């Protein structure tokens, strides 16, 4: 019997022992979590092209859900994007893929893939 069947090297961000480190972040696990979340938000604000949403016939509060892994090598691997329009999905993928390489997270003393959900919300007038 192979004991590896049914196990995964993917650990949710919420329960990781040592969170992935965004470049320039330091401190204990809580400080690293806060710094990572803040840098993700700032990266989206700075890089997401809101002009794309203006010509899509959408209005009101829009939400895009991105799901990705910060791999055990520190790279980003997207595995899900949901948006109210395909063009917004493409832009969300572009922005998430442009995140810098991270220091990988660790769980039980091993480098692991860490799953993360990053919602992107904005209003279209």
């Amino acid at each position: 019997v192979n004991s590896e069947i049914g196990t995964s090297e993917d650990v949710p961000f919420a329960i990781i022992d040592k969170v992935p480190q965004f470049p320039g972040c330091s401190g204990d696990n809580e400080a690293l979590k806060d710094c990572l979340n803040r840098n993700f938000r700032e990266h989206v604000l700075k890089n997401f092209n809101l002009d794309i949403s203006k010509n899509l016939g959408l209005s009101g509060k829009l939400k895009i859900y991105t799901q990705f892994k910060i791999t055990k090598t520190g790279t980003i691997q997207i595995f899900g994007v949901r948006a109210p329009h395909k063009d917004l999905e493409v832009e969300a993928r572009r922005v998430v893929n442009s995140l810098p390489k991270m220091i990988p997270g660790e769980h039980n003393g091993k480098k692991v893939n860490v799953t993360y959900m990053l919602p992107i919300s904005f209003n279209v007038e």
Side-chain angles (χ1 to χ4, degrees):
V1 176
N2 184 347
S3 64
E4 292 299 309
I5 294 174
T7 64
S8 172
E9 291 186 323
D10 294 355
V11 179
F13 183 77
I15 64 164
I16 189 79
D17 290 343
K18 186 175 176 197
V19 299
Q21 221 173 313
F22 197 93
C25 292
S26 62
D28 65 9
N29 219 32
E30 279 309 304
L32 290 173
K33 270 186 187 180
D34 290 345
C35 188
L36 181 78
N37 287 326
R38 186 176 61 254
N39 277 285
F40 280 171
R41 281 193 310 274
E42 288 172 5
H43 181 83
V44 169
L45 281 170
K46 191 164 53 175
N47 294 287
F48 194 91
N49 181 358
L50 288 174
D51 289 341
I52 289 172
S53 64
K54 291 180 180 159
N55 301 319
L56 300 177
L58 303 170
S59 63
K61 186 171 184 167
L62 302 181
K63 202 160 203 166
I64 303 168
Y65 296 95
T66 63
Q67 293 177 288
F68 56 91
K69 295 176 193 181
I70 301 163
T71 68
K72 54 187 167 186
T73 60
T75 60
I76 300 295
Q77 185 178 59
I78 298 172
F79 61 88
V81 177
R82 275 196 346 260
H85 193 281
K86 186 79 180 145
D87 291 355
L88 295 173
E89 285 183 13
V90 170
E91 179 62 2
R93 282 181 183 277
R94 184 193 69 77
V95 170
V96 170
N97 276 323
S98 71
L99 285 164
K101 189 170 182 173
M102 317 271 167
I103 296 170
E106 293 182 20
H107 200 70
N108 297 327
K110 280 180 27 187
K111 288 183 172 148
V112 292
N113 299 327
V114 179
T115 57
Y116 192 91
M117 178 181 262
L118 178 66
I120 302 170
S121 302
F122 56 94
N123 285 306
V124 177
E125 299 297 320

